[in-house]
């Protein structure tokens, strides 16, 4: 055996952005493992560095460009290190040029040709030339069939659909991920059956808008509530099922019933509201009003006692007035969210909102953003305090210095200690919550179930 043949090349993947990207990175890892690469400890040690990028806001792009500047510097000392950049950013007009200008990129690919990554890498290795291949659309070749390498053995995402047809006026997703297309129910079920039999306990059905599942490009004959029901009742069934993300305009009474009726469907919904002002919601092309959203919250809370509701909010959308912002603050107080991701509006070229009048000055947006946080965080903490002295069931996913971490059924992040001989890792453990902090809960675990 020569020295070369025992030397295995290593890779390190950094993911920017959402759960969809995180799952795409697992697919890239699957391809690389299949080619005989193995994971490196970190970016410095890796022969191949992969950035799976996000472009939803300008700061996500700036982080990628900043990191690439640093990698360019590292590459001077390590000329054999390869850098691949893929995901959403290369799909944006002009972004490929900006990425190339960093001088650090050896392989460029997009969201639609993820499955071609192995070939592109090989081409780069064989020719020594920069390789760039970005498709404009999926060409009927989505990547659901790829063999993802899932680092977390207990919790997995499964794509049920790709792309988005909603065209919210601020959002680049329909452009960079293409038109909405659903996977066939039988393919989704087969993938989930494999995961469950491999010991995965907690499965998240992934789509930009899962509530419109099953309609495009052709009807699958199964809508989202039916799919969720089918999956929840498989034999053996997943211990826990989640889904992400729900668009309020398509959240149906049937879905609410399905969550209520299946014990293994987690009592949590991520329901981005974006704004509390019906006027702004119309400008955003969200297709619901503040009142419509609030009646969904009421219906969810009535049908599913204890359900956790989390949301996304954008501050400083073009034309947002002080009154519109006050409406958002009011909605936050009425809805009493269990968690909220808050974003400063970021102007994205090619979107309708980028052309709208009344772009909000940065200092005003920043000041509103701070006021929003001041309103949201105490509510989230209060919601957490409601869990104190209760027992939540937590899937223990990680351990560090004797402290275990995992998610409860209601999606709360819980850190806990656990007595007993047997490690709780990979098990769903009853944990008594002792103290709530704003972004996590602390507790004491009982014996693993
Ligand atoms: N600026 C700020 N936030 C945005 N989001 C999407 N596009 C933008 C933008 N241009 C937010 C939305 C969405 C979340 C994933 O990102 O709140 O729900
Ligand atoms: Fe973007 Fe709206 Fe689609 Fe979500 S629903 S991905 S915010 S266009």
């Amino acid at each position: 055996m020569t020295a070369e043949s025992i030397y295995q090349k290593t890779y390190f993947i950094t993911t920017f952005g959402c759960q969809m990207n995180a799952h795409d990175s697992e697919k890239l890892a699957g391809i690389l493992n299949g080619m005989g690469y193995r994971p490196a400890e970190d970016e410095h040690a890796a022969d191949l560095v992969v950035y799976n990028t996000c472009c939803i806001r300008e700061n996500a792009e700036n982080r990628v460009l900043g990191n690439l500047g640093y990698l360019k510097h590292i590459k001077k000392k390590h000329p054999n290190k390869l850098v691949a950049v893929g995901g959403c950013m290369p799909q944006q007009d002009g972004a490929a040029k900006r990425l190339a200008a960093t001088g650090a990129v050896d392989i460029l690919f997009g969201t639609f040709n993820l499955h071609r990554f192995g070939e592109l890498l090989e081409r780069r290795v064989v020719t020594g030339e920069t390789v760039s291949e970005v498709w404009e659309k999926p060409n009927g070749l989505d990547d659901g069939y790829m063999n993802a390498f899932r680092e977390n053995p207990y919790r997995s995402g499964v794509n049920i659909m790709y792309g988005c047809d909603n065209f919210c006026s601020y959002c680049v997703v329909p452009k960079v991920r293409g038109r909405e297309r659903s996977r066939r129910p039988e393919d989704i079920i087969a993938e989930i059956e494999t995961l469950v039999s491999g010991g995965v306990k907690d499965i998240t059905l992934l789509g930009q808008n899962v509530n419109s599942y099953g309609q495009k490009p052709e009807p699958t004959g199964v809508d989202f509530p039916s799919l969720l029901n089918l999956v929840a009742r498989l034999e053996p069934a997943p211990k826990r099922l989640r889904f992400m993300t729900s668009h309020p305009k398509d959240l149906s009474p049937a879905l609410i019933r399905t969550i209520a009726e299946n014990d293994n469907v987690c009592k949590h919904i991520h329901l981005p509201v974006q704004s509390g002002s019906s006027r702004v919601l119309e400008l955003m092309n969200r297709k619901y009003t503040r009142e419509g959203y609030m009646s969904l919250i009421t219906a969810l809370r009535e049908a599913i006692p204890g359900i956790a509701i989390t949301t996304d909010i954008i501050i400083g959308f073009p034309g947002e007035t002080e009154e519109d912002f006050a409406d958002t603050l009011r909605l936050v107080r009425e809805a009493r969210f269990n968690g909220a991701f808050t974003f400063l509006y970021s102007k994205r070229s090619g979107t309708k909102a980028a052309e709208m009048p009344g772009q909000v000055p940065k200092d005003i947006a920043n000041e509103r953003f701070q006021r929003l946080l001041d309103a949201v965080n105490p509510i989230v903490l209060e919601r957490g305090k409601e869990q104190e002295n209760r027992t939540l069931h937590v899937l223990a996913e990680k351990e560090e210095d004797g402290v275990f971490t995992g998610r409860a059924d209601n999606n709360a992040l819980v850190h806990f200690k656990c007595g007993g001989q047997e490690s709780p890792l990979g098990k769903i453990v009853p944990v008594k919550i002792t103290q709530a902090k704003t972004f996590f809960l602390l507790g004491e675990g009982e014996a693993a179930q």
Side-chain angles (χ1 to χ4, degrees), residues 26-166:
E26 294 180 333
K27 293 175 184 173
L28 292 170
I31 293 175
L32 287 166
N33 291 349
M35 292 170 77
Y37 279 69
R38 66 187 163 80
E41 280 288 298
D42 56 32
E43 196 171 278
H44 286 270
D47 298 303
L48 169 68
V49 173
V50 185
Y51 283 176
N52 192 7
T53 64
C54 170
C55 60
I56 199 139
R57 283 170 291 275
E58 197 182 354
N59 56 3
E61 290 194 343
N62 288 343
R63 270 176 52 218
V64 171
L65 292 169
N67 282 20
L68 285 174
Y70 174 69
L71 274 185
K72 161 87 181 162
H73 174 72
I74 301 284
K75 279 180 75 162
K76 281 202 184 120
K77 280 194 218 134
H78 303 277
N80 293 331
K81 202 181 196 69
L82 290 183
V83 176
V85 177
C88 294
M89 212 174 146
Q91 298 291 155
Q92 278 272 66
D93 297 335
K97 247 196 199 150
R98 271 183 295 149
L99 289 164
T102 63
V105 185
D106 299 292
I107 303 158
L108 194 69
F109 61 104
T111 53
F112 301 125
N113 64 343
L114 208 65
H115 58 284
R116 300 248 317 131
F117 181 64
E119 241 176 282
L120 302 181
L121 171 59
E122 227 159 69
R123 202 194 306 160
R124 170 61 183 77
V125 170
V126 172
T127 66
E129 313 250 320
T130 305
V131 173
S132 172
E133 186 182 291
V134 181
W135 293 5
E136 270 184 31
K137 35 183 205 315
N139 297 331
L141 286 167
D142 279 316
D143 43 20
Y145 53 87
M146 276 198 282
N147 208 357
F149 170 68
R150 291 159 151 113
E151 217 165 306
N152 183 329
Y154 317 121
R155 205 148 79 95
S156 282
V158 171
N159 289 114
I160 63 167
M161 59 207 295
Y162 301 98
C164 183
D165 272 5
N166 288 314

Side-chain angles (χ1 to χ4, degrees), residues 56-57 170 274 312 314 343-346 348:
I56 199 139
R57 283 170 291 275
Y170 49 81
Q274 313 297 5
D312 293 342
I314 299 177
F343 305 110
L344 271 173
Y345 167 73
S346 170
R348 306 280 63 206

